[in-house]
Amino acid sequence: MTEMPFRFRRLRRTERLRSLVRENSLAPAQLILPVFVEEGVAAAVPIPSMPGVVRHPEAALGEVVARARDSGIGAVMLFGVSHHKDACGSDTWNPDGLMARMIRSAKQAAPDMLVISDNCFCEYTDHGHCGVVAGEQVQNDATLENLVRQALTAAHAGVDMIAPSGMMDGMVAALRGGLDSAGFGQLPIMSYSTKFASAFYGPFRDAVDSSFKGSRSSYQLDMANGREALAESVRDEQEGADILMVKPGLAYLDVLANIRAHCARPLAVYQVSGEYAMIKAAVAAGVMEERPLVLETMMAFRRAGADMILSYYAEDVARWLRAG
Ligand code: PBG
């Protein structure tokens, strides 16, 4: 036998050795569960394209958040499905609107759980765009004014973190300024800093019962653009974002790794509705096994540089990790 320069397999021979040299890890505390709440419904509404995910009635939210806390996951992210839509999404800054009510009931049921609000307008506008529309275009600066109103309402309702997802230019600076002036200098902002216009959001539209048929390409990133993807997160970091995010996840691992290499803030990744739906469909078709497949996607996110992962699988993953 000839001498080999190095034998990689020496450290793969037993699980003890493999665990000793494993480079990345995954813990429930790094997971964030998105939660959908629909106003005016008496029972949970299943989302056909996302088996296992439902739109909860408002009355169930407390229990859902308490269960998420008990599962050991790090946070919940609240999405409202509004029945009070208008042209600008004004229900989002109504102190008795759905967003404020969700935050209050979540915090009341589980004061020790981290509650994040998805701060956008698309689930609250009658046209389905993420802001104020004039003609074909979403008006950036008018939307920012409303976004600050919305964030202040969320802050007053007791939210633990603001997560603007509308991809407006200057959204982090506007929010930071507005929150600071109102005495919320300690409230962190998790920015959807690098969010692509993506076909992977298909089932989400189902989930939020969106009649939206248009395109968000005039505000969300072009999937062809990697340099711009980095620049977006760099900008949000400069504007004071406390946490950055890449969305979707699996198809954008290069972007995630690049942002990790260039930005110092904590980094989140969002495994979106279409990623979840694809795995569920593959599993239902009997072509792959769910648990190892999901855990592999989670580890891919960690390896690429994500500190935390938003996923509809959050509670399942927490359970699988606990089971070992
Ligand atoms: C809208 C929003 C979207 C998602 C979260 N917030 C969809 C979109 O931009 O059309 C997608 C979440 C998912 O697909 O899981 N601001």
Side-chain angles (χ1 to χ4, degrees):
M1 263 259 307
T2 57
E3 278 302 307
M4 275 191 215
F6 188 77
R7 291 181 182 271
F8 287 96
R9 292 185 53 190
R10 278 196 290 259
L11 294 178
R12 293 177 193 159
R13 293 185 68 230
T14 67
E15 179 51 26
R16 283 261 179 233
L17 284 167
R18 291 190 294 272
S19 327
L20 190 68
V21 300
R22 189 161 292 129
E23 297 176 31
N24 288 286
S25 62
L26 181 64
Q30 298 157 338
L31 302 171
I32 302 172
L33 178 71
V35 173
F36 299 112
V37 176
E38 177 164 6
E39 59 183 346
V41 299
V45 183
I47 303 165
S49 55
M50 300 175 73
V53 180
V54 301
R55 301 202 291 263
H56 296 284
E58 280 191 74
L61 178 60
E63 203 180 308
V64 170
V65 175
R67 192 185 64 203
R69 175 203 53 203
D70 295 343
S71 79
I73 66 172
V76 292
M77 164 91 83
L78 303 180
F79 289 91
V81 180
S82 174
H83 288 196
H84 292 85
K85 304 188 186 203
D86 62 17
C88 53
S90 65
D91 191 60
T92 59
W93 64 82
N94 174 357
D96 294 312
L98 178 58
M99 188 178 291
R101 295 198 307 274
M102 289 191 301
I103 293 165
R104 282 195 299 266
S105 58
K107 288 305 295 182
Q108 197 181 5
D112 53 337
M113 186 52 163
L114 203 61
V115 174
I116 310 173
S117 54
D118 176 85
N119 293 103
C120 196
F121 294 98
C122 49
E123 296 112 65
Y124 297 86
T125 52
D126 48 21
H127 46 68
H129 273 295
C130 301
V132 183
V133 172
E136 298 283 274
Q137 296 288 327
V138 172
Q139 300 300 295
N140 194 87
D141 298 11
T143 298
L144 290 185
E145 279 180 37
N146 292 345
L147 185 61
V148 172
R149 283 189 191 113
Q150 177 188 127
L152 290 177
T153 296
H156 283 290
V159 81
D160 296 307
M161 198 176 316
I162 297 288
S165 63
M167 286 296 283
M168 295 301 122
D169 286 322
M171 68 184 184
V172 174
L175 285 171
R176 192 69 274 157
L179 291 169
D180 289 358
S181 333
F184 294 105
Q186 295 297 328
L187 189 58
I189 299 171
M190 168 193 272
S191 179
Y192 286 68
S193 49
T194 294
K195 178 177 178 182
F196 290 88
S198 170
F200 285 101
Y201 305 149
F204 177 84
R205 311 267 163 101
D206 217 12
V208 299
D209 205 14
S210 168
S211 52
F212 184 71
K213 293 281 177 289
S215 154
R216 305 199 199 285
S217 299
S218 75
Y219 38 106
Q220 298 179 344
L221 269 159
D222 184 333
M223 63 173 173
N225 295 356
R227 287 197 309 269
E228 189 186 3
L230 172 62
E232 281 273 12
S233 276
V234 167
R235 168 65 61 83
D236 281 17
E237 181 172 48
Q238 288 164 348
E239 288 184 12
D242 298 281
I243 298 175
L244 304 169
M245 192 198 299
V246 173
K247 180 183 173 186
L250 208 54
Y252 298 89
L253 294 177
D254 58 326
V255 170
L256 196 59
N258 199 27
I259 293 172
R260 180 66 297 152
H262 289 91
C263 297
R265 303 313 310 155
L267 183 56
V269 65
Y270 199 139
Q271 181 177 51
V272 302
S273 56
E275 299 175 67
Y276 177 87
M278 282 200 314
I279 296 174
K280 283 287 180 187
V283 171
V287 295
M288 277 183 287
E289 203 188 324
E290 186 168 37
R291 176 177 158 155
L293 184 55
V294 173
L295 290 174
E296 190 168 332
T297 64
M298 295 283 145
M299 201 55 87
F301 297 139
R302 296 278 294 144
R303 199 184 60 241
D307 298 296
M308 66 202 86
I309 301 162
L310 292 109
S311 173
Y312 303 98
Y313 271 114
E315 285 181 312
D316 300 284
V317 171
R319 193 176 56 249
W320 295 333
L321 292 174
R322 275 200 315 273

